[in-house]
Amino acid sequence: MPITQVKKRVGTIVPFDRNRIEIAIKKSFIATKTAAPDETYTRITDTVIEELDRSFGEATPSVEQIQDIVERHIAEHGFFDVAKSYILYRSEREAARTILRQQLYDRAKARQLKVKKRDGSVADFDISQIEQAVMNCNGHLNRDAIHEIVEESLANVHDGISTAEINKAVLMAIKARIERDPAYSMLAARFLFNDLYKSVIGVDESEDNFTQQYISGFSEKIKQGVEAGRYDKRLLDFDLDALQKVLKPERDQLFHYLGAQTLYDRYFVRDHDQNILEMPQYFWLRIAMGLSINESEKTKRVTEFYDVMSQMFYVPSTPTLFHAGTHHPQMSSCYLTTVEDDLDHIFKCIGDNAQLSKWSGGLGNDWTNIRGTGSLIKSTNVGSQGVIPFLKIVDSTTAAINRSGKRRGATCVYLETWHYDIEAFIELRKNTGDDRRRTHDINTANWIPDLFMKRVMDNAEWTLFSPDETPDLHHMYGKEFEERYARYEDMAAKGEIRLFKKIPAVKLWRKIITMMFETGHPWITFKDPCNVRSPQDHVGVVHSSNLCTEITLNTSKDETAVCNLGSVNLPNHVTGGKLNKDRLRQTVRTAMRMLDDVIDLNFYPTKEAQNANMRHRPVGLGVMGYQDLLYHLDMTFDSDEATQLSDEILEFISYYAILGSSELAKERGTYESYTGSKWDRNLFPIDTMKLLEEERGLKTGLDLEETLDWEPVRKHVREHGMRNSNTMAIAPTATIANITGCLPSIEPIYKNLYVKSNVSGEFTVVNRFLVEDLKKLDLWNNSMLEKIKYFDGSIQQISEIPAELKAKYKEVFETDTYWIVKHGAHRSKWIDQSQSVNIFTSSDSGSMISDVYLTAWKMGLKTTYYLRTLGASAIEKSTLDINKKYEDAPQTEKVTTVAAVAATVSTTPAGATPEPATVAVSAPLTVVTDEECEACQ
């Protein structure tokens, strides 16, 4: 991945500029009077860039690391005198910087530096004020720690420094300590918020009138926001005096640093001069008001909504957090479209993509209707170029749109497996080949019918068709599809179909698996389970999923499917070491009301989106922090006990989500297309699993019995119907999990220690649950931290850690992949839409990867998301002591070629588990970014 950012010496992150490298190299040549043509500087710079891209990947190199590489490459090109000059120049510059830092440090201590305050006045630099500011955020911090933080922050001061710059320097010093003790994360959050308080209300929490000012400032900021055109003027219809009394400023202390910084950088509403109008509790209350505009008992509902969000029991998806209560309330997460085989409609849909992306929607596009390459266009009597050139335009459109000014556009395009262009589609994300037939900014997904999976299992042939000759295939599923498909194959054999191609199903499957290993795409999603189990089978067909593969809604030329998302934060429902089901029950019911309110208040960028959402009213309630919950309950992910917990929790949430929707139907009426739906036919999600088994003629291997008494819910639905056609979907929750301080969605922990990269820079994050358990055993110290860094977060090879902790704190690549599938299958029974299930594997066996997906299909999963494989390169861990050696050093990781993976793909029967893969790797200290997975949440 190309390097895009650089970490400066003071810790700030700036854009990467290759010209600076080339200029530095040229100056070194000039300094030694070494003659060289300009192409020499360019050639050396190119090799430097290649090494940076190869070595750092998603990590951000420091200035010093770049200079080390430049120095080496100058020498490797034979210019030893120039390299020596470059070394001496660096040494001289570092010595000068050291002297300057010491001078500034001495002047700061002597109060000889000046500080520019917020009001523009100038005052003497006073170290005691920094000490007091840190103390105000944590009165329990010992004097030595405070002194060290202040000393470290002084390294970045300068004469004339502003108050904001001082606070940034202190914050950098605090967050650098988070890896030593996660408690510093809370300190960093409070320090950041205190700076925010000063900006928004003029006081911080150290002042006596702080609480009063915090509470009374809310109504003023709402009025300012309305006047600035940022808030919906209908917010002024609320009783602001009554509402501000429900504010709980102390709940700001629930935030960890990452969540606080995420809100500060991207979520708080600003006026057009970029002044922040919100603080954390204003933020939650503004969203609660924005969702309560149509409620008859406004104050009551705002209070209810505020309480569930501000305590982080439930958090809506990012578009709702961005836009609720604003002048343009686009609060929906996902939009799904079907593109017709018509030039006007193709470009209309591309235009719709731009509009939907503009307002922060994540997109799923169904392109299967478009005729294949070489099919006849009768109006012009020429052959079609197929679907790929249009997807190139979609790719460019996606790259051009910045959603809500806060994140990149994001689209996933879907194609069904029998489409004539499927082989070219599978290769869209390759980094080699004709770039005119490659897409780098959209995601791809394969919409796979059951028949194809059966042909793979039977090692049979598969036929590719062009949709203009088989126009009804895309709109059929199950047995009906299989019968029509066989008929088209018979017609092709008789010469009655012009464009088709026969290919061994295993060969195509091998290509799919190979491309997934190489690029992570196309995602594997299953057409038949999505349709057979759809509550809305009476009014249409599910033609694709969405950007993150958890939404399964009908689409057509007239209806763009829309879904509103939000997630229950599971660990915040633990009380006394047990899951508090009373609290969870109330959270689910409140969440369902909030999700339903979005539908009527939402801004719809297209009329097709409004048509679909008002007619069917689907919502997607999900969960996050499942791994945190397991830590609280002292369970391991790879256990039958944890799998059963997944089953029980999702049954419980499904029970009250469905009941909650039915209770809303009693109050507000059923959704328009309710009559004839599966709900109306008394078919609940668990019942549709049985329908799937019957349709396929194959068992899922799952226990389909209910553990709760569902009759009261069924009776309520029979009497009052449903308010929402769909109720549940589990999204990735990447960003809102950051906000709430839990691990994303339903996944095992990725790393116990990693570098977090976001718009604010990088810092090391360590698993706080692991740290607490190590503290209890008196095992947490700098030496242990260094060992965990050495093993890139893994604790499996650290001898002093007991076996029970090693089992509890396995990382996802140390967990048998099949457990991820098993958890997903057990959850799937209770969900009427789908879930974003990433497949993680440390194996390079194509046969094993193939079998994982065959198992997922057989067990009834509707969709899967990314295939995550272990990286095959390592970077230097620059923060480690290079002289330190460990007895249990990891083995060198082998590099696996894509061809080798393809060669091992077989037709292992689904459910036949191969030998567990052995993890023996030395991976880089992993850098995790928000860019990839936050589209839905």
Side-chain angles (χ1 to χ4, degrees):
M1 178 174 290
I3 294 296
T4 59
Q5 296 178 315
V6 178
K7 185 191 297 181
K8 297 182 72 175
R9 289 181 178 84
V10 296
T12 55
I13 304 296
V14 298
F16 175 75
D17 182 0
R18 67 163 282 146
N19 291 330
R20 296 176 70 90
I21 296 176
E22 195 162 337
I23 290 170
I25 293 171
K26 186 174 183 179
K27 285 183 176 180
S28 297
F29 275 76
I30 293 172
T32 56
K33 298 181 181 179
T34 302
D38 285 346
E39 51 263 33
T40 298
Y41 315 136
T42 302
R43 185 170 65 252
I44 296 173
T45 303
D46 286 342
T47 61
V48 169
I49 301 297
E50 288 172 7
E51 180 170 342
L52 286 170
D53 292 346
R54 183 175 64 254
S55 300
F56 286 90
E58 292 184 346
T60 301
S62 67
V63 170
E64 289 84 356
Q65 288 170 321
I66 294 175
Q67 288 179 338
D68 288 343
I69 294 173
V70 170
E71 178 183 304
R72 188 171 67 254
H73 279 269
I74 293 174
E76 287 176 355
H77 280 76
F79 299 102
F80 299 105
D81 289 340
V82 176
K84 181 178 179 181
S85 172
Y86 187 79
I87 293 169
L88 291 173
Y89 172 77
R90 287 183 64 190
S91 178
E92 291 168 0
R93 291 293 300 159
E94 179 55 34
R97 281 193 295 270
T98 300
I99 294 170
L100 180 60
R101 281 197 298 268
Q102 186 61 47
Q103 290 174 344
L104 287 171
Y105 181 81
D106 293 340
R107 291 179 65 192
K109 284 206 159 189
R111 299 183 66 169
Q112 293 175 355
L113 299 183
K114 297 297 182 183
V115 177
K116 186 176 181 180
K117 304 183 77 172
R118 295 174 194 275
D119 60 6
S121 62
V122 176
D124 291 336
F125 188 97
D126 186 353
I127 289 178
S128 66
Q129 291 188 12
I130 300 178
E131 292 175 341
Q132 188 60 51
V134 177
M135 180 72 77
N136 290 340
C137 294
N138 189 338
H140 301 293
L141 205 62
N142 66 59
R143 274 294 187 187
D144 289 342
I146 293 175
H147 178 73
E148 289 173 7
I149 290 170
V150 173
E151 294 282 304
E152 290 162 13
S153 65
L154 290 181
N156 294 316
V157 302
H158 58 84
D159 197 17
I161 192 171
S162 69
T163 303
E165 288 175 317
I166 292 173
N167 289 340
K168 188 172 184 178
V170 175
L171 188 59
M172 286 173 58
I174 296 172
K175 75 176 188 178
R177 292 169 161 261
I178 293 174
E179 66 179 40
R180 306 186 205 176
D181 191 332
Y184 280 103
S185 179
M186 311 300 284
L187 173 62
R190 290 187 71 176
F191 194 88
L192 176 66
F193 282 158
N194 266 321
D195 187 50
L196 175 68
Y197 301 150
K198 280 283 191 179
S199 297
V200 178
I201 58 175
V203 297
D204 64 27
E205 60 180 325
S206 67
E207 300 179 52
D208 293 338
N209 64 339
F210 168 70
T211 300
Q212 178 187 346
Q213 289 291 100
Y214 194 118
I215 292 172
S216 63
F218 175 72
S219 59
E220 177 186 343
K221 291 301 174 183
I222 290 293
K223 292 171 185 175
Q224 285 182 15
V226 171
E227 184 177 347
R230 299 294 288 121
Y231 290 146
D232 190 322
K233 63 182 180 181
R234 290 176 291 179
L235 298 191
L236 298 179
D237 296 336
F238 288 80
D239 186 343
L240 297 178
D241 291 335
L243 287 180
Q244 65 187 23
K245 293 176 183 177
V246 311
L247 284 167
K248 299 291 189 293
E250 64 273 16
R251 290 179 184 170
D252 285 1
Q253 297 178 25
L254 296 175
F255 287 94
H256 294 263
Y257 168 69
L258 180 56
Q261 189 71 63
T262 300
L263 290 183
Y264 185 94
D265 288 334
R266 302 168 58 197
Y267 283 77
F268 292 147
V269 171
R270 300 169 185 255
D271 64 21
H272 293 296
D273 294 323
Q274 301 309 304
N275 298 308
I276 295 177
L277 297 171
E278 296 182 326
M279 298 185 294
Q281 302 310 308
Y282 292 8
F283 167 75
W284 295 128
L285 194 53
R286 179 261 299 173
I287 296 164
M289 292 169 66
L291 295 176
S292 303
I293 288 172
N294 287 348
E295 292 280 2
S296 57
E297 299 178 278
K298 286 183 170 55
T299 300
K300 174 184 176 182
R301 293 305 177 189
V302 171
T303 303
E304 177 186 349
F305 296 170
Y306 167 76
D307 277 339
V308 79
M309 288 188 291
S310 63
Q311 296 179 83
M312 301 181 194
F313 294 139
Y314 163 82
V315 180
S317 63
T318 285
T320 303
L321 301 182
F322 278 168
H323 300 136
T326 68
H327 72 297
H328 231 104
Q330 195 303 103
M331 297 181 279
S332 295
S333 301
C334 308
Y335 294 88
L336 287 69
T337 64
T338 284
V339 185
E340 297 293 324
D341 190 32
D342 172 80
L343 197 61
D344 289 340
H345 196 254
I346 288 170
F347 280 94
K348 179 191 183 303
C349 289
I350 292 173
D352 287 351
N353 277 4
Q355 288 298 323
L356 296 167
S357 288
K358 175 182 177 181
W359 296 107
S360 205
L363 307 179
N365 292 166
D366 158 38
W367 285 86
T368 300
N369 288 320
I370 307 304
R371 69 190 66 196
T373 302
S375 59
L376 182 66
I377 303 175
K378 293 181 180 178
S379 60
T380 57
N381 199 32
V382 297
S384 170
Q385 296 185 70
V387 70
I388 304 302
F390 293 115
L391 297 183
K392 188 69 176 178
I393 300 172
V394 175
D395 188 61
S396 298
T397 303
T398 298
I401 302 298
N402 188 340
R403 291 183 290 159
S404 298
K406 299 178 182 179
R407 40 187 195 164
R408 295 188 311 167
T411 305
C412 183
V413 294
Y414 284 76
L415 202 71
E416 201 159 340
T417 316
W418 52 263
H419 194 286
Y420 193 77
D421 290 342
I422 190 66
E423 292 174 287
F425 178 84
I426 290 167
E427 295 185 339
L428 279 173
R429 290 295 298 260
K430 284 183 69 173
N431 290 322
T432 58
D434 185 353
D435 199 59
R436 292 170 299 179
R437 298 182 71 79
R438 298 289 179 264
T439 56
H440 306 294
D441 289 291
I442 58 173
N443 302 293
T444 61
N446 194 350
W447 194 237
I448 302 177
D450 279 357
L451 182 60
F452 175 73
M453 301 303 293
K454 293 176 182 177
R455 295 276 179 96
V456 171
M457 296 285 288
D458 294 338
N459 202 14
E461 286 214 312
W462 183 247
T463 309
L464 307 181
F465 295 108
S466 178
D468 61 319
E469 295 187 271
T470 59
D472 51 356
L473 274 185
H474 189 40
H475 312 290
M476 295 177 172
Y477 56 88
K479 294 175 182 176
E480 184 183 26
F481 172 89
E482 294 187 10
E483 292 169 0
R484 187 59 57 90
Y485 187 84
R487 178 183 167 192
Y488 282 130
E489 286 187 309
D490 184 56
M491 291 172 62
K494 295 176 179 177
E496 297 174 9
I497 287 183
R498 176 179 173 272
L499 190 66
F500 68 93
K501 178 181 179 180
K502 299 190 80 66
I503 183 174
V506 170
K507 181 179 179 181
L508 182 57
W509 179 245
R510 183 180 294 121
K511 187 171 185 177
I512 292 166
I513 296 298
T514 303
M515 285 300 99
M516 288 194 70
F517 185 86
E518 179 180 351
T519 70
H521 295 83
W523 302 331
I524 290 180
T525 57
F526 301 113
K527 173 184 181 178
D528 289 75
C530 293
N531 278 285
V532 172
R533 299 191 61 206
S534 170
Q536 293 294 95
D537 59 343
H538 65 308
V539 288
V541 174
V542 182
H543 290 113
S544 72
S545 187
N546 67 316
L547 175 64
C548 302
T549 76
E550 81 276 18
I551 303 304
T552 53
L553 301 174
N554 300 345
T555 55
S556 68
K557 181 178 181 180
D558 301 317
E559 291 189 350
T560 292
V562 184
C563 201
N564 317 303
L565 301 175
S567 298
V568 174
N569 187 9
L570 291 174
N572 280 23
H573 290 81
V574 174
T575 305
K578 295 182 179 180
L579 187 65
N580 186 334
K581 291 190 174 180
D582 289 336
R583 175 68 264 175
L584 183 58
R585 179 187 302 114
Q586 184 56 48
T587 295
V588 171
R589 281 175 156 161
T590 299
M592 288 301 295
R593 189 177 195 96
M594 294 170 71
L595 287 166
D596 188 64
D597 280 334
V598 168
I599 296 168
D600 296 308
L601 294 165
N602 202 49
F603 164 76
Y604 295 97
T606 69
K607 67 177 192 243
E608 291 84 2
Q610 184 169 17
N611 289 343
N613 218 30
M614 298 306 292
R615 186 179 178 212
H616 310 300
R617 306 186 69 86
V619 300
L621 179 64
V623 297
M624 58 184 173
Y626 181 70
Q627 176 69 84
D628 303 71
L629 178 66
L630 294 180
Y631 289 149
H632 278 295
L633 302 181
D634 206 26
M635 291 185 188
T636 60
F637 186 90
D638 52 349
S639 67
D640 291 329
E641 183 185 26
T643 307
Q644 185 60 35
L645 182 66
S646 281
D647 200 318
E648 291 174 1
I649 288 175
L650 267 295
E651 180 181 6
F652 186 89
I653 293 175
S654 178
Y655 186 104
Y656 287 101
I658 295 169
L659 180 59
S661 181
S662 188
E663 288 170 341
L664 287 170
K666 180 179 179 181
E667 176 187 338
R668 298 173 171 178
T670 62
Y671 67 92
E672 182 182 326
S673 61
Y674 170 77
T675 302
S677 68
K678 280 191 171 72
W679 304 113
D680 188 34
R681 285 142 50 199
N682 194 34
L683 292 171
F684 281 28
I686 190 67
D687 304 315
T688 65
M689 285 296 291
K690 299 168 188 174
L691 293 180
L692 180 63
E693 291 183 339
E694 293 169 4
E695 189 77 16
R696 285 179 169 175
L698 296 169
K699 291 291 185 182
T700 60
L702 297 171
D703 180 358
L704 301 183
E705 295 301 314
E706 300 165 347
T707 64
L708 299 176
D709 180 9
W710 280 82
E711 181 51 34
V713 182
R714 293 179 184 272
K715 182 175 183 293
H716 200 284
V717 172
R718 284 196 299 269
E719 292 177 357
H720 304 289
M722 291 284 285
R723 179 65 173 169
N724 312 98
S725 64
N726 299 76
T727 63
M728 291 187 67
I730 301 179
T733 75
T735 314
I736 63 171
N738 286 344
I739 291 171
T740 57
C742 70
L743 291 163
S745 194
I746 46 181
E747 295 182 354
I749 192 166
Y750 186 66
K751 289 286 176 186
N752 285 312
L753 183 144
Y754 60 91
V755 175
K756 185 69 185 178
S757 177
N758 59 21
V759 294
S760 305
E762 293 183 351
F763 65 101
T764 304
V765 179
V766 62
N767 183 344
R768 66 180 186 273
F769 295 98
L770 172 61
V771 172
E772 288 305 311
D773 277 349
L774 291 174
K775 282 181 177 180
K776 291 174 185 176
L777 298 173
D778 199 25
L779 289 174
W780 182 248
N781 49 43
N782 287 336
S783 175
M784 179 60 71
L785 172 61
E786 192 168 286
K787 287 184 180 182
I788 296 175
K789 278 187 177 182
Y790 185 91
F791 292 108
D792 193 30
S794 173
I795 64 171
Q796 301 306 312
Q797 298 181 69
I798 301 176
S799 58
E800 56 262 53
I801 294 180
E804 57 268 24
L805 286 194
K806 290 181 178 179
K808 182 177 179 179
Y809 293 106
K810 281 183 183 178
E811 297 175 342
V812 69
F813 285 117
E814 297 164 342
T815 302
D816 189 332
T817 308
Y818 289 89
W819 285 106
I820 296 172
V821 175
K822 290 174 186 176
H823 276 271
H826 280 266
R827 286 188 300 264
S828 180
K829 298 189 298 184
W830 310 106
I831 303 172
D832 51 60
Q833 293 201 66
S834 192
Q835 47 191 319
S836 295
V837 179
N838 285 312
I839 302 297
F840 295 85
T841 180
S842 59
S843 174
D844 54 35
S845 165
S847 176
M848 184 269 182
I849 295 171
S850 170
D851 187 70
V852 166
Y853 283 100
L854 287 165
T855 301
W857 170 73
K858 182 180 178 183
M859 295 186 77
L861 263 68
K862 295 179 181 179
T863 59
T864 63
Y865 199 21
Y866 283 94
L867 171 65
R868 309 281 191 182
T869 55
L870 213 51
S873 62
I875 62 172
E876 177 186 358
K877 298 174 179 65
S878 58
T879 60
L880 290 178
D881 181 351
I882 61 173
N883 297 311
K884 195 81 170 181
K885 303 295 181 185
Y886 299 104
E887 293 180 1
D888 303 322
Q891 300 173 29
T892 302
E893 181 182 4
K894 66 180 180 179
V895 177
T896 303
T897 65
V898 175
V901 173
T904 63
V905 177
S906 70
T907 55
T908 306
T913 307
E915 289 297 313
T918 300
V919 180
V921 299
S922 179
L925 188 59
T926 304
V927 177
V928 177
T929 65
D930 292 337
E931 198 62 47
E932 182 178 61
C933 297
E934 66 161 14
C936 287
Q937 299 233 1

